[in-house]
Amino acid sequence: MKVARFGLPVARNGISWPTWQADSFGFMEWNFLSAEELSAALGAGEVTSVELTDEAIARIERDDKVINAICVPDFDRARAAARDADQARARGEDRPLLGIPVTVKESYNIAGLPTTWGMPQYANYVPTEDAVQVSRLKAAGAVLLGKTNVPLMLRDIQSFNEIYGTTNNPWDHRRTSGGSSGGSAAALASGFGALSIGSDLAGSLRTPAHFCGIYAHKPTLGLAPTRGMVAPPAPALPIDLDLAVVGPMARTARDLTLLLDVMAGPDPLTHGIAYNVARPPARHERLSDFRVLIIEDHPLIATGSAVRAGVNRVSEALVDEGARVERHSPLLPDPTEAATLYMLLMLSNAAAGLSLDVYQQLQTHAAALSADDRGLDAARRRGMVLSHRDWVEANNRRELHRHGWRQLFAEFDAVVCPITPTPAFPHDHNGGLENRHIDIDGVEYPYFDQLVWAGMATMPGLPATAIPAGRSPEGLPVGVQLIGPMFEDRTPLRLAELLEQKIGGFQAPK
């Protein structure tokens, strides 16, 4: 790469770069620019896709030995795609992600690469067709560097499995990068590609973003098709999943919007009859015009001091800009009932594929619960054996919550709240999920209970944008989520952009 290409002047779209220099290893720091900045540099002829791709690969080969984010590299095809992108640009083509190096969560099918979901019995399962979102990345001109690590069956807040091992947090290798899109978050924080795509059922986009100091967006349920993001050996069918979504991850808020525009839209196999709706523009363009509800406490779990400080930092920034900020509203749907509904619905999905003998054991355990036991663990146990009759009743209660959120968003534009109660915690691979605990300022809580914050947006299907909101006293990233109105994804995304300008955004780990 020619050093003369660095020290760029103001480029197109008003983007400007500092005078870039080699790091201590001699690597030029294109790796931490946003996709938007890289696209402008490519268009201005300041760099080629081949150069960006070679540099990204070199960085992965240098740094990923300790991070372990890229579990399935695809470097030969990436270099070929970069050459094709440079040739396309030379012909005058200009696609949204043309020549931009990106990564993809392991759970997406990519033809010719293994899709395992961390399950050893499927270590050699190789699909022959791309997931619909992979096809959209390629059509947009992206260069796919490879696949990123996940937990077994995507069912953990950490990313480790027997096939690919453990992904470490780039800020502290003793800690988790989050799950289930933990490999993607760690890759972005490490400069391995400008963008990634993940998925979210229990905070799997938002939690890794929070733990690694990046941005992620959980779209409105149904906005982006999920076909081909499926556990092996199931066929890739155009099924609308309950609760689960696919979504973008990036190092800037504007890049989230760029990638979401590539991902959103109906599946061509179904013509999007249910969800072929136009996304309205953001409600406001200035922080001072936003009406925001701040929630920092949950009735079922404590909020750690570091996360509370992050929520308050965002609140103070909004107040400083003249936004209307409230901390209580009778319009907020009951968070205790919401958490119980979330556990019922989520676990009914998770247990659907269990063997008959295991299912019967779970029925016995659920039947033994006291009728007065309304705790989260009881909800999880009942959810795993939920009858269709009871699911319909729970779904009807969900619709009442959705109506409550519609009423709330007539008075507010966004809700700011935690993603999990703590920053990234130390690796904990001991026992089953039901036997682990999370330490919140010295007090232990059931491991699963920390999902109630993720469920606040997931259960009703609302969009939620995860943003960096500072550092813990130990120097770990702390994020918050901005929950917005259904199908108004551009509103929390725009709020994320404005807050990035006000309080800062992603910073590379030392």
Side-chain angles (χ1 to χ4, degrees):
M1 184 176 294
K2 299 176 183 177
V3 177
R5 289 186 174 178
F6 291 80
L8 298 172
V10 173
R12 7 178 119 168
N13 304 322
I15 300 168
S16 61
W17 294 272
T19 301
W20 290 94
Q21 298 178 356
D23 66 14
S24 59
F25 290 88
F27 284 79
M28 298 302 180
E29 286 304 298
W30 290 99
N31 289 299
F32 285 103
L33 292 185
S34 69
E36 184 181 31
E37 291 167 327
L38 292 178
S39 183
L42 286 163
E46 298 292 345
V47 70
T48 67
S49 180
V50 167
E51 289 172 327
L52 292 179
T53 301
D54 283 342
E55 184 177 315
I57 291 170
R59 189 176 192 92
I60 292 168
E61 291 176 337
R62 184 193 81 187
D63 290 348
D64 202 38
K65 294 179 180 66
V66 293
I67 302 299
N68 194 34
I70 310 299
C71 61
V72 184
D74 197 20
F75 296 158
D76 289 343
R77 291 199 297 186
R79 288 188 171 102
R83 290 192 294 270
D84 291 344
D86 287 333
Q87 292 168 6
R89 194 173 289 278
R91 293 192 299 268
E93 294 185 27
D94 187 16
R95 286 175 267 158
L97 305 179
L98 188 58
I100 305 297
V102 307
T103 60
V104 174
K105 188 175 182 177
E106 200 271 354
S107 50
Y108 287 87
N109 287 343
I110 299 180
L113 298 181
T115 296
T116 72
W117 287 45
M119 295 185 285
Q121 65 269 37
Y122 295 112
N124 298 316
Y125 179 80
V126 179
T128 58
E129 184 178 52
D130 289 339
V132 65
Q133 294 299 345
V134 172
S135 296
R136 289 182 177 181
L137 285 178
K138 290 180 177 179
V143 173
L144 277 57
L145 297 168
K147 304 180 87 176
T148 58
N149 202 22
V150 296
L152 176 67
M153 285 294 293
L154 313 190
R155 293 178 181 174
D156 203 343
I157 311 165
Q158 306 174 72
S159 292
F160 68 96
N161 59 74
E162 291 183 24
I163 303 173
Y164 300 120
T166 300
T167 298
N168 296 318
N169 192 306
W171 289 87
D172 182 345
H173 300 165
R174 300 166 298 178
R175 297 175 184 265
T176 180
S177 62
S180 63
S181 306
S184 289
L188 287 166
S190 302
F192 306 161
L195 302 167
S196 194
I197 57 173
S199 60
D200 193 313
L201 169 71
S204 289
L205 286 160
R206 292 163 286 164
T207 298
H210 158 45
F211 285 176
C212 293
I214 63 158
Y215 290 81
H217 181 71
K218 186 199 90 65
T220 296
L221 182 67
L223 185 66
T226 62
R227 176 165 52 89
M229 214 290 296
V230 59
L237 301 175
I239 298 171
D240 286 332
L241 303 176
D242 190 26
L243 301 175
V245 300
V246 296
M249 307 178 80
R251 287 188 294 268
T252 70
R254 287 175 64 88
D255 274 1
L256 289 180
T257 301
L258 172 69
L259 184 49
L260 182 62
D261 286 345
V262 170
M263 300 180 72
D267 187 321
L269 292 188
T270 63
H271 306 293
I273 295 171
Y275 296 111
N276 189 11
V277 296
R279 281 175 292 148
R283 291 186 176 187
H284 308 293
E285 290 298 323
R286 300 182 303 176
L287 280 179
S288 59
D289 294 332
F290 274 86
R291 303 164 299 168
V292 180
L293 177 63
I294 304 292
I295 306 172
E296 58 180 308
D297 293 306
H298 197 285
L300 298 179
I301 198 166
T303 302
S305 56
V307 170
R308 190 181 299 276
V311 173
N312 286 322
R313 184 177 184 223
V314 171
S315 175
E316 290 163 6
L318 289 164
V319 170
D320 186 59
E321 287 295 312
R324 176 190 155 198
V325 175
E326 303 287 346
R327 288 186 171 268
H328 303 281
S329 172
L331 295 173
L332 181 70
D334 178 39
T336 297
E337 185 186 33
T340 302
L341 278 174
Y342 173 57
M343 295 297 176
L344 283 171
L345 294 167
M346 178 172 62
L347 270 297
S348 69
N349 274 316
L354 294 175
S355 63
L356 181 59
D357 59 332
V358 173
Y359 185 76
Q360 289 173 337
Q361 292 176 29
L362 292 172
Q363 283 181 311
T364 301
H365 294 154
L369 291 169
S370 167
D372 296 329
D373 189 345
R374 314 314 295 175
L376 290 178
D377 185 62
R380 288 188 285 267
R381 290 176 182 271
R382 293 186 179 108
M384 286 189 284
V385 293
L386 204 65
S387 69
H388 181 64
R389 174 189 177 92
D390 289 337
W391 186 92
V392 170
E393 191 271 336
N395 189 49
N396 288 338
R397 287 160 60 201
R398 168 166 53 182
E399 288 300 329
L400 291 174
H401 275 256
R402 283 177 173 158
H403 184 63
W405 280 101
R406 282 191 289 270
Q407 293 176 309
L408 183 141
F409 283 123
E411 297 293 327
F412 295 94
D413 304 307
V415 171
V416 176
C417 65
I419 296 168
T420 71
T422 70
F425 50 84
H427 295 298
D428 180 4
H429 303 170
N430 297 319
L433 301 178
E434 68 280 3
N435 299 320
R436 296 185 200 150
H437 291 83
I438 181 74
D439 183 304
I440 304 176
D441 290 348
V443 179
E444 286 194 342
Y445 291 81
Y447 188 76
F448 258 125
D449 287 7
Q450 63 187 302
L451 300 183
V452 297
W453 286 115
M456 185 167 286
T458 297
M459 188 273 288
L462 300 173
T465 306
I467 68 168
R471 299 281 178 270
S472 74
E474 297 81 19
L476 297 170
V478 172
V480 302
Q481 60 180 329
L482 317 175
I483 301 175
M486 202 162 195
F487 287 112
E488 294 189 51
D489 293 61
R490 296 190 191 280
T491 290
L493 285 167
R494 179 58 179 158
L495 180 57
E497 290 180 31
L498 295 169
L499 284 167
E500 183 178 11
Q501 296 167 16
K502 174 71 175 176
I503 66 173
F506 168 80
Q507 294 178 2
K510 296 280 190 263

